[in-house]
Amino acid sequence: MIQALRGTRDILPEEVGYWQLIEATVRETLGRAVYQEIRLPIFEQTALFERGIGEATDVVGKEMYTFSSRGDKSITLRPEGTAGVVRAFIQNKLHAQGGVQRLWYTGPMFRYERPQAGRQRQFHQVGLELLGCDAPRADAEVIALATDILQRLGLKNLELDINSVGNGADRAQYRAALINYLEPYQNDLDEDSKDRLMRNPLRILDSKDPRTQEIAQNAPKITEHLSLESKKHFDTVLNLLSNLNIKYQINHCLVRGLDYYTHTAFEIKSDDLGAQATVCGGGRYDGLVKELGGPETQAVGWAIGMERLVLLLQQLKSNPVIAPELYIVSRGEAAEAQGLILAQKLRNAGFAVELDLSGSAFGKQFKRADRSGAVACLVLGDAEAESKSVNLKWLASGEQQAIAQSDLLGMSQELKVKIAGLKKP
Ligand code: ATP
Ligand code: MG
């Protein structure tokens, strides 16, 4: 038997209600803020990610699914969404429309990682990007929208970690100070961090190795190396968050893995999740659009990991199920044919209708009707088929009434009201 690949998962109907709930919440919350959805290719030229994410990062260095296409072009399955959005922004000249572009996306991402709970090789993100604005209000808006989505979904134990990584010049200065501090500890660092010391020393700060973390705790802080302008940006973002009643903590070790981040970097964590605690990561990336060949465009965005969100929601609420409102029980050739016609008519009139296709004894069909969660049953046997009627049976009370099939649609308003009143919450 051929199995699904390691690090991929089937999302079965018993779980899909959570996904749909997340998608609906995202669509509504971002729609109210007038963000527009953008749908992009799942594979791109490898160079897009190498330049857009940075070769010194784990994502590009170790985690990309890269292969050569038949024409020898190097192709990569997208490991994240931002680089593709920026490519599309430049290629389709969205900047020519002027002003601010507010975009969101959702879909699968691919990273070669060691699979574990909340960490897969094909996983899903929903993300947003606000392009064309350098104001701290943009940073605060996108953070507020992420917290809105998570709170509306019912998550409570959220923590927002925030930091500033300044601009390029601030970082160059800080980088020197950091290398200076870390060099004496070179032999105590974990292997990856040793490697990063000259290439990407900021990344050492978010090492998961306990000894490296200890060393990082006393490292100089990037916020002490910010220019006045960068510091003002950061302080303003923090003030705006306080005005919005969004609690945060400054995390000096939060630098994010990607080279194009400037100023604000943030993560939203939940302490219900154990090891994979981060559900949302984002920040400002003022350098990326230019880096990828577009006009200078400041931007800020985030991505939420959907698998981790689903794991959290599963602890909070039961799977939202789709139950039929009406269940059609029929037996006998003529009755079964009429049952199908009724099912289609009622569906088109807006009812959720399940048609029992088994042809088994009435008793068995009634049992399935009960299990389906339907509010009422429509029963057709030989007698009903003969008289073109149907027996409407309310499942909770057992109350029944015979109705002419031709009267059924005329009663649909009345039926809807009664069903709504009897539906289980
Ligand atoms: P981590 O430190 O957990 O590897 P990351 O910094 O690589 O996270 P980002 O690139 O910021 O993650 O992606 C944003 C979000 O996407 C993460 O916070 C997480 O919720 C989710 N995510 C990232 N990688 C995976 C994965 N392999 N499987 C499932 N979700 C993931
Ligand atoms: Mg990662």
Side-chain angles (χ1 to χ4, degrees), residues 7 58-59 63 79-80 109-126 203 206 208 256-258 261 266-268 273 275-282 302-309:
D58 278 355
V59 172
E63 297 173 356
E80 53 99 55
M109 307 292 162
F110 304 85
R111 296 185 193 178
Y112 190 83
E113 302 206 63
R114 216 160 59 89
Q116 50 193 289
R119 188 177 295 285
Q120 290 171 210
R121 292 180 174 173
Q122 174 172 336
F123 64 100
H124 300 77
Q125 287 183 337
V126 48
R203 282 294 313 284
D206 71 5
K208 306 267 184 312
R256 318 257 327 124
L258 311 180
Y261 281 100
F266 66 92
E267 280 183 352
I268 304 175
L273 258 190
Q276 307 308 335
T278 310
V279 284
C280 176
W302 49 250
I304 288 176
M306 295 176 80
E307 276 76 6
R308 293 184 197 174
L309 205 46

Side-chain angles (χ1 to χ4, degrees), residues 367-402:
K367 273 205 185 110
R368 271 196 294 274
D370 276 327
R371 275 202 306 264
S372 76
V375 179
C377 235
L378 292 172
V379 189
L380 291 108
D382 293 336
E384 286 78 15
E386 180 74 29
S387 60
K388 296 272 162 46
S389 68
V390 63
N391 207 9
L392 173 64
K393 180 176 175 191
W394 297 94
L395 286 168
S397 63
E399 176 200 337
Q400 298 191 33
Q401 64 193 106

